[in-house]
Amino acid sequence: MHCLLSQDAMQRKGNRNRATVRLTASIIHQAEEIHAPSAVTHQTNVIGILGGDSSLNFAKKLVDHERELPFVLCTDPVLSNELLSLDRGSLHCISGKPARVHIDHSSIVENLRCKRAILEKSGVCCIVMPCHALHSWQDEIEEGCSVPFIHMGESVANELKEAELRPVQAGTPLSIGILATNTTLVTRMYREKLENEGFDVVMPDENTIKHIVIPAVDALSTKDFEGARNLLRISLHILLVRAVNRIILASDELREILPPDDPLWRKCIDPMDALARSTVKYAQSAGRR
């Protein structure tokens, strides 16, 4: 496990690439006794980031959204591999392949609660978990936490509500499509949040998942990027013809397939971007208190 600390003092060591400075800061190993870093405890807007590889991607997005906010990042490469297996588990079930996913839920929760305690000791004002799979156990991980958790599903639902969307077709409800590699988990994570805001939730049908989404992920794993992009575009169009207003790309793998200049992004939502905006907004308000 690594805990990576970013702060204004580190930025001053180099100004040519401030994002790189933030993401190559001091590393604190789990085996050491952790004390609250004196350089950040006097600040009230420090963000805590918790999880696997997706936490690094989120940290980069956070820098893109607001370069002045400090953060402390706790990540674990071993946990990343376990979460990737879990994230793909439901796809394997749908395709008829044996999932072979054996995850020790209690050890993951305990692991993350320990990392959460490190973040609390670091003086963070809030904690975010940018990984969809971890939200299966968010209630357990955040139980008794002294600072708020910023929820990815709530961030997305709030932004969609504030967008004041109109139905694609007259007389139809506002609908949001969801494309994910772990359909069971993501449906549970988003459905309640979206339906509470008055949206219908639309998921791909089983044939779309089996014959388009799964092959797209498989193509990506073999570095067939063009094939993965074409298949993803097809799956997005299938949801769009069902009159959805926006499509949530609720998977790290799927978000990486679509190039940033692709016009389909106008119809898509990157949950990590929504989470970054919500986190920046909260941290800025905490810094003004």
Side-chain angles (χ1 to χ4, degrees), residues 12-251:
R12 289 194 292 271
K13 293 181 181 178
N15 294 320
R16 286 181 298 177
N17 191 337
R18 297 165 72 187
T20 301
V21 173
R22 284 177 173 270
L23 295 175
T24 56
S26 303
I27 295 176
I28 306 171
H29 295 281
Q30 189 175 24
E32 299 173 358
E33 184 178 0
I34 303 297
H35 296 286
S38 59
V40 297
T41 50
H42 71 282
Q43 300 185 68
T44 57
N45 62 345
V46 182
I47 297 164
I49 308 173
L50 179 62
D53 286 345
S54 58
S55 298
L56 288 169
N57 295 331
F58 178 79
K60 294 172 185 176
K61 283 187 176 288
L62 199 62
V63 171
D64 290 339
H65 283 281
E66 178 50 70
R67 291 176 177 268
E68 301 305 320
L69 285 174
F71 62 82
V72 180
L73 169 63
C74 277
T75 185
D76 188 334
V78 175
L79 177 63
S80 297
N81 293 331
E82 291 179 326
L83 294 177
L84 180 61
S85 299
L86 178 65
D87 201 38
R88 292 182 174 181
S90 66
L91 280 185
H92 291 150
C93 291
I94 292 171
S95 66
K97 299 177 183 178
R100 296 179 182 175
V101 179
H102 303 288
I103 300 294
D104 186 348
H105 145 260
S106 59
S107 68
I108 289 179
V109 170
E110 183 60 29
N111 179 347
L112 290 166
R113 285 177 67 88
C114 290
K115 292 179 174 62
R116 188 205 80 188
I118 292 172
L119 293 176
E120 290 179 272
K121 291 178 181 179
S122 299
V124 300
C125 71
C126 63
I127 295 175
V128 293
M129 292 195 305
C131 175
H132 281 96
L134 291 182
H135 285 77
S136 295
W137 314 297
Q138 174 151 337
D139 290 344
E140 296 172 75
I141 295 167
E142 70 174 306
E143 182 181 3
C145 186
S146 60
V147 298
F149 269 67
I150 310 297
H151 194 283
M152 190 182 298
E154 288 179 358
S155 299
V156 171
N158 289 338
E159 284 204 353
L160 286 168
K161 180 182 179 181
E162 292 170 2
E164 298 183 349
L165 301 171
R166 295 182 180 181
V168 174
Q169 299 174 353
T172 62
L174 289 168
S175 299
I176 303 300
I178 300 178
L179 205 56
T181 49
N182 191 321
T183 54
T184 303
L185 167 64
V186 169
T187 300
R188 189 166 63 245
M189 175 180 169
Y190 283 105
R191 185 178 296 279
E192 181 182 356
K193 308 293 183 185
L194 292 168
E195 290 180 348
N196 285 344
E197 298 296 347
F199 296 103
D200 278 0
V201 175
V202 178
M203 303 289 293
D205 59 61
E206 186 173 316
N207 284 330
T208 299
I209 294 174
K210 185 181 295 185
H211 300 297
I212 301 175
V213 178
I214 293 174
V217 173
D218 290 341
L220 184 65
S221 66
T222 61
K223 301 189 184 303
D224 178 10
F225 301 113
E226 183 177 355
R229 282 193 292 270
N230 290 335
L231 288 167
L232 177 60
R233 290 184 182 116
I234 292 171
S235 61
L236 291 172
H237 281 296
I238 289 173
L239 285 173
L240 289 171
V241 298
R242 295 174 66 182
V244 300
N245 293 81
R246 294 288 187 275
I247 300 171
I248 301 170
L249 288 181
S251 161

